[in-house]
Amino acid sequence: MKKKVISLILAATMVATMATGCGSSSGETTTTDNAASTTTDAAAPATEASDTAAAVTEAAGGDYADKKVGVCIYQFSDNFMTLFRTELENYLVEQGFSKDNITIVDGANDQATQTGQIDNFISEGVDVLIVNPVNSSSAATITDKVVAADIPLVYINREPDAEEEQRWEDNGWNVTYVGCDARQSGTFQGEMIVDLGLDTVDLNGDGKIQYVMVEGDPENVDAQYRTEYSVKALTDEGLEVECLSDQVGNWQQDQAQQIVANALGQYGDKVEVVFCNNDAMALGALQAIQSAGRTVGTDIFLVGVDALSEALEDVVAGTMTGTVFNDHFSQSHGAADAAINFINGETNEYYIGCDYVKVTKDNAQEILDMVK
């Protein structure tokens, strides 16, 4: 499947220092049930800084004050999606949409609830729908409903599988997906541990890295890929690993705190690394680590994903090893621009990808200054 790059300049610092932004989806694309096309290496930036500057896509000019936008978010309590939906609304207003005509609803992590919300938006005759599905596996049903109503559809954050995306292209439907490739975020997590060196991470000197994995929602492909590719980055470097515990924390801080507390209680000093699929869970893990009398960076290492402000502060302080910036600016702007293209009668590619950014103590303050 052909993949389009929409790049957005967020700040001069980001362009100059990180050489990333929106880019092609990364990694060999696979899904749970379907094989997909091969794209670029998961750890490689999709563009250089100069290419990023040249590839900025600006929303087409126009008067959108009377256009109705329906936005379905899988769960408002998700920290990252809170950042995303806030930036999405602000950006749409900047492009000329009336805030009164932008309706954002909470799916409460229940697919039946979200399906009812989509039905309501269809009945109201919105001009475009932006959907963060509760269950990616429900995408085909959602697509059929929305396409039958002749409403353009932009999926965000949770990517439908390759077979579903191929349907959009085969039928020429006004449907696209905007988001980052979770394989890249998992790879970056693993690379941060690899970069520390075996001598540093192998605290018990047994020649291998023992880790605890805290997963997000098992339905979410991002959780699956972050889990797989974080460990793959270690084994690809020839490191021997041992999984001590792999539990589902459902993106929740309190669940992760309990999971890590239990793992530390069971395995004690044997735990060398804690991988968390998102920062909310990493913050919970940090609470458990500190309660157990352990010190990140000294006798244990901890990585997350999302670059939430609190997590970035911990990276700056050295109380978290690293995180991965899940670029809600590029993703929300890209989703809005895709929606505007559809409203203007234009088309989009069926996949619009953005790059993650690896965050360590070296650049955490720069990211923190940008997201605050």
Side-chain angles (χ1 to χ4, degrees):
M1 183 181 296
K2 186 179 179 183
K3 303 200 172 186
K4 181 180 181 180
V5 175
I6 285 186
S7 297
L8 297 158
I9 301 299
L10 305 181
T13 299
M14 186 135 189
V15 174
T17 63
M18 296 169 198
T20 59
C22 284
S24 300
S25 174
S26 306
E28 181 179 347
T29 305
T30 57
T31 66
T32 304
D33 301 309
N34 303 285
S37 59
T38 300
T39 57
T40 58
D41 181 73
T47 59
E48 296 299 329
S50 58
D51 296 331
T52 302
V56 173
T57 300
E58 296 181 355
D63 182 7
Y64 307 115
D66 63 341
K67 300 300 182 183
K68 295 181 180 179
V69 181
V71 183
C72 295
I73 302 298
Y74 95 96
Q75 183 168 253
F76 275 11
S77 62
D78 183 291
N79 304 70
F80 174 74
M81 292 314 300
T82 297
L83 296 173
F84 189 111
R85 62 188 167 91
T86 300
E87 184 63 25
L88 174 65
E89 182 177 62
N90 291 341
Y91 184 77
L92 285 169
V93 170
E94 289 174 6
Q95 305 313 304
F97 289 84
S98 167
K99 188 171 183 177
D100 292 339
N101 286 333
I102 304 168
T103 305
I104 306 178
V105 295
D106 181 5
N109 202 27
D110 180 78
Q111 188 58 62
T113 297
Q114 186 176 78
T115 299
Q117 293 166 341
I118 291 169
D119 289 340
N120 289 339
F121 279 135
I122 291 172
S123 297
E124 293 167 9
V126 296
D127 293 284
V128 66
L129 261 172
I130 299 174
V131 177
N132 166 217
V134 171
N135 297 326
S136 299
S137 58
S138 298
T141 301
I142 294 170
T143 300
D144 289 342
K145 281 176 175 285
V146 178
V147 168
D150 198 26
I151 296 173
L153 174 60
V154 179
Y155 283 104
I156 56 173
N157 185 250
R158 295 183 166 190
E159 184 179 358
D161 65 27
E163 183 178 348
E164 171 62 9
E165 292 181 3
Q166 190 63 49
R167 281 207 313 147
W168 311 339
E169 185 169 8
D170 291 345
N171 291 285
W173 291 337
N174 285 334
V175 185
T176 188
Y177 170 75
V178 178
C180 295
D181 189 323
R183 285 167 287 249
Q184 186 185 54
S185 60
T187 298
F188 283 171
Q189 284 188 301
E191 287 179 350
M192 284 186 278
I193 301 303
V194 170
D195 291 346
L196 294 172
L198 180 61
D199 290 343
T200 298
V201 182
D202 183 20
L203 297 163
N204 58 24
D206 65 355
K208 56 187 175 183
I209 296 174
Q210 280 96 357
Y211 69 90
V212 169
M213 180 69 67
V214 187
E215 299 190 32
D217 179 358
E219 165 73 20
N220 191 333
V221 71
D222 284 12
Q224 298 166 23
Y225 284 150
R226 288 172 188 171
T227 298
E228 176 185 354
Y229 279 78
S230 56
V231 177
K232 186 175 184 295
L234 303 181
T235 57
D236 282 352
E237 290 296 319
L239 298 175
E240 185 177 352
V241 300
E242 179 184 357
C243 179
L244 301 177
S245 173
D246 187 336
Q247 301 293 323
V248 172
N250 289 306
W251 309 119
Q252 300 301 310
Q253 182 170 336
D254 58 345
Q255 292 187 38
Q257 181 179 3
Q258 189 60 55
I259 289 168
V260 176
N262 291 343
L264 292 173
Q266 181 175 356
Y267 298 104
D269 292 344
K270 196 173 182 181
V271 180
E272 295 168 331
V273 177
V274 178
F275 289 105
C276 295
N277 285 172
N278 76 344
D279 278 347
M281 295 191 298
L283 293 170
L286 178 57
Q287 290 173 303
I289 288 168
Q290 292 174 334
S291 294
R294 304 284 290 274
T295 303
V296 173
T298 300
D299 58 15
I300 196 167
F301 300 91
L302 171 65
V303 290
V305 176
D306 280 341
L308 301 178
S309 294
E310 188 176 350
L312 288 168
E313 290 168 355
D314 282 318
V315 177
V316 171
T319 49
M320 188 179 294
T321 307
T323 184
V324 182
F325 180 36
N326 195 1
D327 188 349
H328 62 279
F329 295 107
S330 289
Q331 292 177 65
S332 59
H333 294 189
D337 287 346
I340 289 170
N341 282 342
F342 282 143
I343 287 173
N344 289 337
E346 301 169 9
T347 60
N348 292 288
E349 295 291 345
Y350 298 99
Y351 183 103
I352 299 170
C354 301
D355 273 335
Y356 288 93
V357 178
K358 190 188 302 183
V359 184
T360 64
K361 197 167 185 176
D362 291 339
N363 64 339
Q365 187 62 55
E366 295 173 20
I367 303 293
L368 181 59
D369 292 341
M370 184 173 63
V371 301
K372 272 193 166 180

